[in-house]
Amino acid sequence: MKQLSEILKLINRSCMQEHSHLQIADITYDSRKVKQGSLFICLPGATVDGHDYAAAAVKAGAVAVIAERELDLSVPVIVVPDSRLAMQELVPYFYDYPASKMKLIGVTGTNGKTTTTNIIYNLLKAAGHKVGLIGTIEAKYLDVCIVSKNTTPDVVDLQHLLADMYKAGVEYLVMEVSSHALALERVAGCTFDAAVLTNITQDHLDFHCTFDNYVQAKSILFANLAKSGKSNTLAVLNSDDPSAQAIAKVSTAAVCKDYSLQAGADIFPLAYELHMDSMYLQLQTPHGVLECTVGTTGLFNIYNIMAAVAVAQRFGLQLADIKATLEAFHPVAGRFELVKLGQPFSVIVDYAHTPDGLENVLKTAKGITKGRLITVFGCGGNRDAKKRPIMAGIAEELSDIVVITSDNPRKEDPKAILQDVEAGIKHKDKTEYILLEDRTSAIRHALTIAQANDTVLIAGKGHETYQILFDRTIDFDDRLVAKNILMELGYAKD
């Protein structure tokens, strides 16, 4: 609880004397979440204007309103030039800046955020720390687990969650930080101790418009490290990524560590062997050689592990402890996840939904496949359409058979999306490919034609348990669909 007058000081606003001691119990911009004592913030949006819901918010219990114009209400209305900026100032203060009281580690990048954050989470937890995680799949701490709606929650939900974590005793928080979150300042009030860059490749250009804008959004996380007021801040950069140099220039971290597949970086592999469900890894680190066998695979996961090791060593973890945790680690849901029902071929479900992500997964699968590589993939609707033909070209180059299907078509015509994807097939007369709009039919086709020693890669949705169609969202889990079809084909789990 805070007094309205105290809150308004942050945005250089005041209220009438009779309202100055008004107690604020909560802050929200969603009229459906208003409770008695709430401060309601009217946010104008592209399709919905919060000002239209101010009266409903007051009726539900809001005792004050922040708006961008005068409103005729029975409670104080504080008019500001930009209500979103006001919210970003007020909400962290209302929750007493919980991020400043924990070790906060932010991981950004096009691909690899979920796996990297999960590895860091497991390393710190195994070392005896109370750790929280916020990411694409879930937010979790202690015995609490919340299914995520966005990779990075909006500022209200995020600060509320951080406050709950701090009250529960969380010492370290590992968080995926999306480019949207940085551009829209969802992480306002978050003071990071460490920032990690996995990679930056084409994605989200429907939002950022240009690749340069996308890189600039990612760089905000590193440029703001000095503003945290925390000492010994750390930047961890993938020096094999072309954008790393530009981000290093704007980084204000006290210490910078890099990782690479090439010798000379702070962390790099001396040797590695990739298998279908595991890999042997020998890493050179600033604190000696780390040798382990990990229950996941792929060059992309070598990168993720190196980034996580850099963070772990910064926070004092020893090589022996890191080794033990990595050897007990298993793939994150929907990230190069194997579906095994005794079939004589491999089935992999992966979240790869960007050109770079698909290329990395396909290269790994191709390198460990003795037979043919059959790829099932699609592209989401109302998202960056430029990547559709690019992904088709990658699938054509690295696969023996390509099955193009729907992902989450959303408000777009699924057939039109498939045509956009097909346009990227360069050798239509030579490439073995098929368009099957229905995703279940596409997966069934791939599994039916698969032979011994083949690999079927089902890409794009990974951990998702739904499919977003034009007028509804349906239950759809690539892993479950694949299992059911394999059972229909007569395979049974050993």
Side-chain angles (χ1 to χ4, degrees), residues 467-486:
Q467 188 176 30
I468 306 172
L469 307 179
F470 179 81
D471 56 350
R472 67 194 188 281
T473 297
I474 63 172
D475 292 335
F476 200 102
D477 186 327
D478 282 351
R479 298 160 296 182
L480 182 59
V481 170
K483 287 178 181 177
N484 289 339
I485 293 171
L486 288 171

Side-chain angles (χ1 to χ4, degrees), residues 321-355:
D321 296 326
I322 295 172
K323 172 184 172 70
T325 303
L326 289 176
E327 292 194 331
F329 182 78
H330 295 288
V332 177
R335 271 63 175 179
F336 215 85
E337 184 174 352
L338 294 173
V339 178
K340 298 180 181 180
L341 264 76
Q343 75 276 7
F345 50 87
S346 299
V347 178
I348 301 167
V349 172
D350 194 90
Y351 190 52
H353 60 284
T354 66

Side-chain angles (χ1 to χ4, degrees), residues 6-129:
E6 294 175 353
I7 294 173
L8 296 181
K9 286 179 182 177
L10 265 72
I11 55 173
N12 297 316
R13 291 291 184 276
S14 60
C15 56
M16 296 179 66
Q17 185 63 34
E18 60 263 35
H19 300 307
S20 62
H21 298 297
L22 198 61
Q23 294 293 308
I24 302 300
D26 184 48
I27 300 179
T28 184
Y29 62 87
D30 187 339
S31 61
R32 296 165 298 182
K33 295 182 179 180
V34 169
K35 59 185 182 182
Q36 188 60 44
S38 289
L39 170 61
F40 180 70
I41 301 180
C42 301
L43 294 183
T47 58
V48 177
D49 189 343
H51 293 79
D52 297 335
Y53 296 87
V58 172
K59 186 175 180 180
V63 294
V65 171
I66 288 180
E68 293 184 2
R69 62 175 184 264
E70 294 290 348
L71 297 171
D72 184 14
L73 300 172
S74 59
V75 300
V77 177
I78 298 92
V79 178
V80 297
D82 189 321
S83 55
R84 189 173 296 277
L85 287 178
M87 180 177 70
Q88 291 162 1
E89 287 287 334
L90 299 181
V91 175
Y93 166 78
F94 180 80
Y95 287 108
D96 296 321
Y97 302 104
S100 67
K101 304 168 187 176
M102 298 181 281
K103 296 290 186 182
L104 186 56
I105 301 154
V107 179
T108 195
T110 307
N111 303 303
K113 295 187 297 297
T114 299
T115 297
T116 302
T117 52
N118 272 270
I119 296 173
I120 296 170
Y121 171 87
N122 279 278
L123 287 168
L124 292 169
K125 186 177 179 182
H129 298 294

Side-chain angles (χ1 to χ4, degrees), residues 355-473:
D356 180 66
L358 185 62
E359 182 177 6
N360 287 336
V361 172
L362 283 172
K363 283 182 175 178
T364 292
K366 192 173 185 66
I368 53 183
T369 297
K370 295 179 181 178
R372 302 171 302 171
L373 178 55
I374 304 167
T375 302
V376 181
F377 86 103
C379 292
N382 303 117
R383 297 293 186 269
D384 180 11
K386 295 178 182 178
K387 69 182 181 182
R388 294 172 185 171
I390 297 173
M391 291 177 68
I394 292 168
E396 177 186 27
E397 179 184 352
L398 296 173
S399 310
D400 295 287
I401 301 172
V402 179
V403 184
I404 301 171
T405 188
S406 288
D407 189 299
N408 293 316
R410 299 183 176 87
K411 299 296 183 181
E412 283 195 66
D413 178 2
K415 290 184 176 63
I417 297 175
L418 265 61
Q419 290 171 359
D420 286 348
V421 175
E422 185 186 17
I425 300 291
K426 299 178 179 66
H427 306 289
K428 293 182 174 61
D429 55 334
K430 297 180 181 179
T431 301
E432 187 173 349
Y433 78 97
I434 186 172
L435 275 65
L436 292 171
E437 181 183 330
D438 179 73
R439 194 171 179 90
T440 298
S441 298
I443 295 172
R444 178 176 284 107
H445 176 76
L447 297 179
T448 301
I449 66 174
Q451 302 171 2
N453 297 318
D454 288 349
T455 294
V456 175
L457 171 67
I458 306 169
K461 290 176 62 59
H463 65 281
E464 293 179 354
T465 58
Y466 55 84
Q467 188 176 30
I468 306 172
L469 307 179
F470 179 81
D471 56 350
R472 67 194 188 281
T473 297

